[in-house]
Amino acid sequence: EAGVTQFPSHSVIEKGQTVTLRCDPISGHDNLYWYRRVMGKEIKFLLHFVKESKQDESGMPNNRFLAERTGGTYSTLKVQPAELEDSGVYFCASSQNHGNTIYFGEGSWLTVV
Amino acid sequence: GESVGLHLPTLSVQEGDNSIINCAYSNSASDYFIWYKQESGKGPQFIIDIRSNMDKRQGQRVTVLLNKTVKHLSLQIAATQPGDSAVYFCAENSGGYQKVTFGTGTKLQVIP
């Protein structure tokens, strides 16, 4: 069974540009999460989808970040315009409904220069 | 706000010895805890979990201990191997929706 997959694995963009990260959760997992870790900090929750609905987006840092999960399958996280402080690794995770184990992807490593 | 944190940022252990990684949490209402292992360039990998109605749980070479009185969590790794070298995160699963809150992480270095 395929795990959580993320694309791109690495991205280098200039300040002010736009980047879109994609996450494909494990098939059948209704819950999808975005997390990020910026340099020297802990992994922080961004938001949580249940199917196509945003269950909790309390961790989204500002309105430059937009997450979508149309159709309740894969999800995208867009950063527009990107700032230097957005550099870090963005993790996607998924879990089955009512399950407790959350499976993480390998992360998308973003560098804003 | 409530948070989950770690005592030691780096732990060096001789191969074959036992490792103990500690974690403190502040939310007394937390009822579910998880340990994750993150290897370089990879995402967090689930190791073991424990609910607040337990004080000990064992897996393969790993044991998690929970002390609710002092709000302390530990991960014990028996016979540490080079492949155990990674950053270990304790995390709290809360909010009713499986939202995970991570601590800052402890780096485990295994000395051959």
Side-chain angles (χ1 to χ4, degrees), chain A residues 31 33 35 37 42-43 45 48 55-56 58 91 95-102 104-107 109, chain B residues 32 34 36 38 40-46 49 51 87 89 93 97-105:
Chain A
N31 296 282
Y33 312 82
Y35 285 80
R37 186 181 188 192
E42 64 268 31
I43 300 173
F45 169 84
H48 169 211
Q55 187 69 53
D56 181 352
S58 61
F91 292 109
S95 68
Q96 285 183 314
N97 199 23
H98 303 305
N100 289 318
T101 303
I102 298 176
F104 283 79
E106 302 285 84
W109 302 75
Chain B
Y32 180 60
I34 316 110
Y36 285 92
Q38 186 181 9
S40 180
K42 296 187 176 182
Q45 178 185 6
F46 174 89
D49 58 3
R51 295 200 174 275
V87 177
F89 295 92
N93 192 330
Y97 303 116
Q98 305 157 16
K99 170 182 170 182
V100 171
T101 301
F102 285 88
T104 53

Side-chain angles (χ1 to χ4, degrees), chain B residues 1-96:
Chain B
E2 303 287 8
S3 65
V4 181
L6 292 167
H7 293 308
L8 300 174
T10 305
L11 176 66
S12 295
V13 176
Q14 201 73 36
E15 181 179 357
D17 287 351
N18 296 334
S19 302
I20 300 176
I21 301 171
N22 296 303
C23 176
Y25 63 95
S26 57
N27 185 356
S28 57
S30 298
D31 60 2
Y32 180 60
F33 304 89
I34 316 110
W35 280 100
Y36 285 92
K37 171 186 180 183
Q38 186 181 9
E39 297 176 275
S40 180
K42 296 187 176 182
Q45 178 185 6
F46 174 89
I47 302 174
I48 191 168
D49 58 3
I50 188 168
R51 295 200 174 275
S52 60
N53 61 352
M54 303 171 68
D55 54 20
K56 180 179 180 179
R57 190 173 186 205
Q58 287 185 294
Q60 186 177 16
R61 281 202 307 120
V62 294
T63 301
V64 55
L65 299 177
L66 175 62
N67 185 331
K68 295 182 288 294
T69 302
V70 296
K71 290 184 281 190
H72 184 267
L73 193 69
S74 69
L75 176 70
Q76 300 179 0
I77 304 173
T80 312
Q81 303 169 359
D84 295 327
S85 294
V87 177
Y88 290 80
F89 295 92
C90 64
E92 166 204 5
N93 192 330
S94 64

